[in-house]
């Protein structure tokens, strides 16, 4: 880009007509964000700009936003009590906005934007006993089916509400996750790609017995093909949890955590869990890493049948370290 500007203008000076951040952010929302982001993302970026970024950076020319300004912003938001994750989300929007300014040749470079260190908190999830109690509690068939699907597939609430019966492949035993109902809009999944989640045997059998040729799997009760509202589904889940004697806060995302946590406890690798959940990076899945400790402990125990303590009897076989340092060299006692 700098070479192109030098060839065109004969110099490498920064543009002198760079707009202030508040003006450029409006142009950015109207062009880049409108063209490249779905509705939920557009609303998220608009909210971050209006509530956080514009009040702080709004009057600064975009070519004069410096690393010091960004560090002051982080300090202020931390003093306001915002979490590192929230601040990082805001910095990500700022970075994407300023990178667009570079691509559009409004500025020649952007300052380094260092994200804050964020320590993943251990996630809450239902125990196997609690999950059984929840499924056993009396509930409308639609709600029961939705909870069962959530616990067996780990789908997000929006993905559940976007499911159609045509997404179920009973021969291949998979469900195609390709839509999401978010803020009254049917859109793509969070990762913008289709993923296929295998069906557990009990879930496949249950869905097969209830199958329909077409239509939404979880329509709004009594309103045909309109998806169930997220607020309504959340209220019904909370009510059922109370009836099942589960007193703590439970939302649909906790059922997603339950799916992943139970897999981790059973020794399923984080890479496999990442694919099933549709996480774009393994970092998102690492929040379940501590649950694999038991399976890791069990894994290393198999070495006891391969390597014995030097000089210690193991059936009729002893490893002699003095005679041969190769672990596989065995000396019959």
């Amino acid at each position: 880009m700098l070479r192109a500007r030098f060839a065109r203008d004969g110099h490498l000076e920064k543009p002198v007509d760079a707009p202030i951040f508040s003006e450029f952010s409006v142009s950015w929302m109207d062009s880049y964000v409108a063209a490249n982001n779905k509705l939920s993302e557009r609303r998220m970026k608009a909210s971050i700009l209006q509530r956080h970024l514009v009040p702080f950076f709004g009057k600064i020319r975009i070519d004069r936003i410096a690393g010091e300004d960004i560090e002051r912003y982080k300090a202020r938001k931390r003093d306001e009590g915002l979490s590192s994750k929230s601040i990082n989300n805001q910095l990500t929007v700022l970075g994407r906005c300023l990178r667009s300014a570079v691509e559009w040749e409004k500025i020649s470079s952007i300052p380094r934007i260092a994200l804050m260190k964020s320590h993943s908190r251990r996630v809450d999830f239902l125990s196997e006993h609690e999950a059984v109690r929840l499924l056993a509690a009396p509930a409308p068939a639609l709600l029961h089916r939705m909870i069962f699907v959530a616990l067996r597939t780990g789908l997000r609430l929006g993905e559940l509400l976007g499911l159609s019966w045509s997404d179920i492949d009973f021969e291949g035993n998979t469900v195609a996750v390709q839509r999401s109902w978010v803020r009254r809009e049917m859109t793509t999944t969070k990762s913008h790609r289709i993923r296929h989640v295998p069906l557990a045997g009990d879930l496949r059998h249950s869905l097969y017995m209830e199958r329909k040729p077409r239509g939404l799997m979880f329509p709004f009760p009594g309103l045909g093909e309109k998806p169930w509202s997220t607020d309504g589904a959340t209220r019904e889940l909370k009510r059922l949890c109370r009836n099942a004697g589960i007193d703590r806060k439970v939302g649909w995302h906790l059922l997603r955590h339950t799916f992943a946590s139970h897999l981790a406890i059973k020794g399923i690798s984080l890479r496999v869990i990442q694919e099933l959940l549709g996480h774009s990076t393994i970092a998102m899945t690492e929040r379940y890493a501590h649950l694999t400790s038991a399976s890791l402990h069990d894994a290393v125990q198999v070495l006891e049948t391969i390597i014995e303590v030097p000089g210690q009897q193991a059936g009729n076989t002893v490893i002699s370290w003095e005679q041969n340092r190769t672990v596989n060299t065995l000396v019959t006692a």
Side-chain angles (χ1 to χ4, degrees), residues 38-58:
K38 55 187 180 181
L39 179 60
S40 58
E41 294 171 324
R42 296 198 298 269
R43 288 173 172 170
M44 178 272 292
K45 287 182 171 64
S47 176
I48 287 177
L49 284 167
Q50 180 180 1
R51 297 175 57 190
H52 301 286
L53 297 177
V54 170
F56 187 92
F57 297 102

Side-chain angles (χ1 to χ4, degrees), residues 224-273:
E225 284 306 296
K226 180 179 179 181
W228 202 357
S229 69
T230 55
D231 290 342
T234 299
R235 283 194 303 269
E236 291 302 314
L237 176 61
K238 290 180 178 179
R239 182 180 295 114
L240 185 60
C241 285
R242 289 194 297 269
N243 294 339
I246 302 174
D247 298 327
R248 70 184 188 280
K249 183 178 180 180
V250 176
W252 287 99
H253 212 73
L254 187 137
L255 303 187
R256 176 173 165 85
H257 289 321
T258 299
F259 167 79
S261 298
H262 288 183
L263 289 178
I265 291 171
K266 297 295 185 181
I268 304 302
S269 75
L270 293 181
R271 285 290 181 186
V272 171
I273 296 174

Side-chain angles (χ1 to χ4, degrees), residues 30-248:
D30 290 343
S31 52
Y32 175 86
V33 175
N36 294 281
N37 294 161
K38 55 187 180 181
L39 179 60
S40 58
E41 294 171 324
R42 296 198 298 269
R43 288 173 172 170
M44 178 272 292
K45 287 182 171 64
S47 176
I48 287 177
L49 284 167
Q50 180 180 1
R51 297 175 57 190
H52 301 286
L53 297 177
V54 170
F56 187 92
F57 297 102
K59 296 182 180 180
I60 306 176
R61 271 178 37 173
I62 57 175
D63 60 338
R64 293 181 178 174
I65 296 177
E68 181 181 358
D69 298 314
I70 294 170
E71 293 305 316
R72 287 192 299 106
Y73 177 82
K74 290 159 63 175
R76 176 175 296 184
K77 292 303 173 180
R78 186 177 59 242
D79 291 342
E80 291 176 2
L82 272 65
S83 68
S84 296
K85 183 178 185 298
S86 295
I87 297 172
N88 287 343
N89 289 341
Q90 297 161 21
L91 294 175
T92 299
V93 174
L94 174 65
R96 179 61 264 182
C97 182
L98 293 180
R99 282 194 296 275
S100 294
V102 173
E103 294 166 2
W104 299 346
E105 299 188 349
K106 298 293 184 180
I107 55 178
S108 59
S109 64
I110 67 173
R112 179 175 178 269
I113 302 177
L115 299 181
M116 300 184 69
K117 293 183 178 180
S118 180
H119 300 287
S120 298
R121 295 178 296 177
R122 292 189 176 186
V123 296
D124 187 20
F125 61 94
L126 298 179
S127 67
E128 291 186 9
H129 179 65
E130 288 174 322
V132 170
R133 281 164 50 195
L134 184 60
L135 289 171
L142 183 70
L143 179 61
H144 183 276
R145 181 198 308 149
M146 192 168 168
I147 291 172
F148 196 24
V149 173
L151 288 171
R152 286 292 188 266
T153 64
L155 268 61
R156 301 175 178 90
L157 176 56
E159 294 170 342
L160 288 167
L161 296 176
L163 279 182
S164 294
W165 284 104
S166 59
D167 296 324
I168 307 297
D169 179 0
F170 288 106
E171 292 185 3
N173 291 337
T174 60
V175 53
V177 186
Q178 51 190 330
R179 293 175 301 277
S180 185
W181 177 252
V182 181
R183 298 185 180 183
R184 301 180 181 180
E185 178 192 35
M186 193 67 78
T187 182
T188 61
T189 62
K190 190 174 182 179
S191 62
H192 302 285
R193 64 183 179 88
I194 300 173
R195 72 181 188 279
H196 294 84
V197 179
L199 296 176
D202 55 356
L203 176 60
R204 181 196 179 279
H205 175 74
S206 176
L207 294 179
Y208 188 79
M209 297 302 293
E210 302 177 55
R211 71 190 185 280
K212 297 179 181 179
R214 64 182 66 84
L216 289 173
M217 189 175 292
F218 306 111
F220 197 100
L223 292 182
E225 284 306 296
K226 180 179 179 181
W228 202 357
S229 69
T230 55
D231 290 342
T234 299
R235 283 194 303 269
E236 291 302 314
L237 176 61
K238 290 180 178 179
R239 182 180 295 114
L240 185 60
C241 285
R242 289 194 297 269
N243 294 339
I246 302 174
D247 298 327
R248 70 184 188 280

